[in-house]
Amino acid sequence: APAAPPVQRERDVRRPMLASSRSDLFLAPPAPDGAAAAPVDIAACDVILASYETFRKELSAASSSFSVSPLEQLGFWRIVLDEAQLVSQTNSVAAQMAAHLWRRHAWVVTGTPISNSLQEIHGLLDFLAHDFGNKELWRTMVHDPFVKDRSAAGLCRMRALLRPSVHQRRRW
């Protein structure tokens, strides 16, 4: 999630949690001084809200002290990356940080259209652990037929790939 509106995001998450019997929410960093939480404290929560900046600080502090971040010590049932365009380039710092987090399921959310290249889609698929996140498979089955050959098969593959997993909402 971006660093700008954490209060709004917390409200959006807490609203549906109020009805549940378990409603623990961890906001990273938990303390004003930015102190790291213990993995057991984080693991007790249903939802963790953290910015990319928090991830960066957490992972760089762990790597500089040759230790492992509490976030890397846990496994997550689902990770939802908001502002996912930040991981669309697989060599970006955000993508490398997100790749360190173990997850069973992953979702990406972005309001930014794909604009520069198909590699942006590949970066998202890579985080999602989709079959086409594999670089070689992506290149031979999707990228080259679509971009280099401009073939009908390439267009059909791209549509077939995106149709079941891309949901578009328009603002009017």
Side-chain angles (χ1 to χ4, degrees):
V7 174
Q8 176 188 346
R9 295 212 187 278
E10 182 181 355
R11 273 195 314 258
D12 292 345
V13 170
R14 280 196 190 276
R15 196 173 304 131
M17 291 176 68
L18 292 175
S20 74
S21 59
R22 193 165 166 237
S23 59
D24 297 325
L25 176 66
F26 178 82
L27 296 173
D33 62 0
V40 70
D41 295 332
I42 298 172
C45 298
D46 290 323
V47 176
I48 299 168
L49 290 180
S51 68
Y52 286 106
E53 181 63 18
T54 297
F55 282 141
R56 186 191 63 72
K57 286 179 184 174
E58 186 74 28
L59 296 176
S60 65
S63 66
S64 67
S65 65
F66 300 103
S67 62
V68 177
S69 160
L71 295 173
E72 292 177 285
Q73 295 177 36
L74 300 171
F76 297 93
W77 179 252
R78 177 176 295 116
I79 294 180
V80 180
L81 291 183
D82 193 9
E83 303 297 332
Q85 70 273 10
L86 296 175
V87 300
S88 65
Q89 299 299 322
T90 55
N91 61 349
S92 72
V93 174
Q96 293 171 6
M97 291 182 311
H100 281 74
L101 303 175
W102 185 92
R103 66 261 180 208
R104 178 74 174 106
H105 302 282
W107 293 353
V108 293
V109 178
T110 182
T112 303
I114 303 299
S115 58
N116 293 328
S117 74
L118 287 183
Q119 291 309 110
E120 293 179 38
I121 296 173
H122 175 256
L124 299 176
L125 294 173
D126 186 45
F127 173 76
L128 294 170
H130 190 282
D131 291 340
F132 284 111
N134 173 293
K135 232 178 208 175
E136 187 61 25
L137 187 62
W138 168 260
R139 187 183 60 73
T140 58
M141 297 295 292
V142 180
H143 183 270
D144 289 355
F146 188 79
V147 175
K148 289 184 179 177
D149 305 339
R150 297 197 183 273
S151 69
L155 179 60
C156 287
R157 283 189 193 131
M158 183 61 68
R159 285 182 179 159
L161 171 66
L162 296 178
R163 186 173 289 125
S165 56
V166 174
H167 301 282
Q168 182 179 11
R169 302 284 185 259
R170 293 192 176 139
R171 293 183 186 160
W172 298 101

